[in-house]
Amino acid sequence: MGRKILQKQIQQLDEQLAIEMALLKLDGRERLTALKGVSPLYWIGGGLALGLLAGKLLGANGPGLLIRQGSHLLRLASLMMPGLAVATNPPEPL
């Protein structure tokens, strides 16, 4: 390949990269604006919930408790959504 062709390809890639960087910056600004719109009470509640979950996991029965609670939630969800019950307990093949 000639030098001019390589220079042109580099220039095109540089322009493409500049466009992608501008789009990423715009996306970041939009996400930051959306996060700023969330009420601080939700952040406090979420932090409290995560703190409690971390406390349970660090306890003596943490992993087992998490598995048991997850299975209870799955059973409850299958009662509320019958389609989920079929997905968790597939029918026996004939």
Side-chain angles (χ1 to χ4, degrees):
M1 287 192 186
R3 184 177 180 94
K4 291 194 183 228
I5 293 173
L6 291 174
Q7 286 176 341
K8 186 171 182 158
Q9 285 180 346
I10 290 173
Q11 185 179 7
Q12 287 174 345
L13 289 173
D14 190 40
E15 290 170 0
Q16 182 181 353
L17 181 61
I19 291 170
E20 289 179 10
M21 288 294 293
L23 289 174
L24 283 174
K25 285 181 183 179
L26 179 63
D27 186 47
R29 283 189 213 115
E30 289 174 354
R31 288 177 188 248
L32 188 59
T33 303
L35 288 175
K36 285 182 180 179
V38 175
S39 171
L41 293 176
Y42 288 125
W43 291 114
I44 292 170
L48 179 65
L50 287 174
L52 290 172
L53 179 64
K56 291 283 187 183
L57 289 175
L58 293 176
N61 298 333
L65 179 66
L66 185 64
I67 291 170
R68 283 192 304 275
Q69 293 299 330
S71 66
H72 293 307
L73 287 175
L74 189 60
R75 271 192 233 124
L76 179 65
S78 68
L79 290 174
M80 296 174 95
M81 296 178 281
L84 186 60
V86 173
T88 56
N89 298 322
E92 298 278 329
L94 298 174

